[in-house]
Amino acid sequence: MNRYFKAEITKNLPLNSKNNLLTLFPLEPVIDPEPGQFYMIEVSDSYNPLLKRPFCCLRKTPDNMQFLFTVRGKGTALMKEFRKGQVIHLIGPLGSGYPEARKGCTPVVIAGGTGIASLFSFIERTPDSSRVIYGAKTKDELLMLDELRKAGIRLTVCTDDCSFGEEGMVDQIFMNFLRSNESIRTSCVLYACGPRPMLRAVAAIARDNNIKGYASLEENMACGFGACLGCAVNTVKGYKRVCKEGPVFPIQEIVW
Ligand SMILES: Cc1cc2nc3c(=O)[nH]c(=O)nc-3n(C[C@H](O)[C@H](O)[C@H](O)COP(=O)(O)OP(=O)(O)OC[C@H]3O[C@@H](n4cnc5c(N)ncnc54)[C@H](O)[C@@H]3O)c2cc1C
Ligand code: FES
């Protein structure tokens, strides 16, 4: 099956002033993505901007695909203007997804902001025993909460401005969680996606507590398929391309 396909926009729902939930209907057969894999989305049919932008698939059903996006710059501002009926091109699924947790390990998922998009389908597939810590700057920026509550997981939410859930950032909540869950500390495997400073802090806690796991990196990309080296990051095994060897890496492999 081809990774290059066309899809029709069926809905582009604003969730708040910065975030939209985009629903597409693929117009040709598509490959099912693994949780954590991503797509390059064409944001304009002109040459400005020329480059497609990378986004994780929030959810795929037999009929449609959903993406959650934050407006950051030119490309995502154009995506906010996507209209029902418009046809766009995508490439994907690309990159590596999240490996499943080994039997007997408890997945601990840590998401910051739109990092939840990368982890959402993983969460939907994980067992009830999974723990999820999800944080955002404000209550308004906590997305997909109702769906997460329905997933039957043990969810802790927090906001930087204390407007909802627990007070503090996800790394502090993760630290508190480890202090009060000694038995899980020795058997957990981490899955994290969010802003780089958050991932760095979570990786440091994981290292200090000898916890293994995975982080998905959201670097700027150009080609999206390994040709330009524009997305390379430093790892303990040398430079690696986020679009090809990633975006999901063992968390202790990244030189933070
Ligand atoms: C594998 C992968 C999966 C992603 N999945 C999602 C997703 O599901 N939802 C989502 O909202 N975003 C996701 N992103 C980030 C998204 O691709 C960028 O926000 C987007 O490309 C920005 O395009 P733009 O044209 O609007 O901004 P640009 O004009 O390219 O940049 C505007 C500003 O935003 C900054 N910027 C650009 N990209 C990023 C980034 N990745 N992180 C932080 N700052 C950035 C730039 O440095 C610049 O300051 C993902 C990125 C990767 C690599
Ligand atoms: S974006 Fe070109 S190599 Fe990754």
Side-chain angles (χ1 to χ4, degrees):
M1 241 181 283
N2 205 340
R3 283 177 203 269
Y4 185 87
F5 63 97
K6 281 191 279 188
E8 183 179 327
I9 291 159
T10 52
K11 208 171 192 178
N12 190 12
L13 181 72
L15 301 176
N16 57 35
S17 58
K18 287 196 228 164
N19 296 104
N20 274 41
L21 179 64
L22 179 68
T23 308
L24 309 174
F25 175 72
L27 296 173
E28 42 208 306
V30 292
I31 300 167
D32 282 340
E34 291 300 319
Q37 285 190 300
F38 72 97
Y39 291 77
M40 296 299 283
I41 297 187
E42 175 191 69
V43 295
S44 159
D45 55 10
S46 76
Y47 291 114
N48 185 16
L50 175 67
L51 300 171
K52 293 182 173 60
R53 300 294 196 258
F55 294 90
C56 286
C57 180
L58 181 83
R59 181 193 268 152
K60 182 179 176 302
T61 67
D63 294 330
N64 66 45
M65 301 175 71
Q66 288 189 310
F67 295 86
L68 191 63
F69 68 90
T70 302
V71 176
R72 288 214 171 92
K74 192 166 190 168
T76 43
L78 286 166
M79 286 172 69
K80 199 168 171 60
E81 301 308 315
F82 279 170
R83 292 284 166 258
K84 188 176 175 196
Q86 198 175 331
V87 172
I88 58 169
H89 292 89
L90 298 93
I91 307 174
L94 299 168
S96 60
Y98 296 103
E100 273 180 38
R102 279 206 313 269
K103 219 172 167 208
C105 291
T106 305
V108 174
V109 176
I110 304 189
T114 20
I116 194 67
S118 161
L119 289 158
F120 189 81
S121 58
F122 178 81
I123 293 170
E124 285 196 320
R125 284 194 202 178
T126 55
D128 298 353
S129 58
S130 317
R131 311 296 177 108
V132 177
I133 301 171
Y134 173 32
K137 285 193 181 126
T138 64
K139 179 183 178 187
D140 199 34
E141 292 175 38
L142 282 169
L143 309 168
M144 311 301 292
L145 268 192
D146 288 345
E147 286 81 353
L148 287 169
R149 287 190 185 116
K150 278 184 224 150
I153 39 144
R154 300 193 201 180
L155 175 67
T156 305
V157 291
C158 56
T159 45
D160 298 0
D161 69 351
C162 315
S163 52
F164 193 75
E166 296 201 13
E167 178 181 340
M169 297 187 167
V170 287
D171 49 302
Q172 294 160 335
I173 306 297
F174 177 43
M175 198 65 226
N176 297 342
F177 167 79
L178 291 178
R179 284 200 191 105
S180 48
N181 290 278
E182 182 64 26
S183 60
I184 289 184
R185 194 173 68 80
T186 52
S187 68
C188 73
V189 54
L190 203 60
Y191 294 85
C193 185
R196 186 91 173 192
M198 177 207 110
L199 291 179
R200 190 184 303 121
V202 167
I205 297 170
R207 184 198 56 221
D208 295 347
N209 289 276
N210 200 22
I211 293 170
K212 296 199 169 24
Y214 305 92
S216 180
L217 302 185
E218 299 201 339
E219 295 298 308
N220 288 347
M221 285 187 182
C223 71
F225 52 83
C228 72
L229 306 184
C231 62
V233 288
N234 198 5
T235 78
V236 293
K237 297 177 179 169
Y239 279 90
K240 290 200 174 177
R241 297 160 298 180
V242 172
C243 67
K244 198 74 183 171
E245 287 85 27
V248 176
F249 292 94
I251 196 160
Q252 300 307 349
E253 242 182 46
I254 303 297
V255 178
W256 297 100

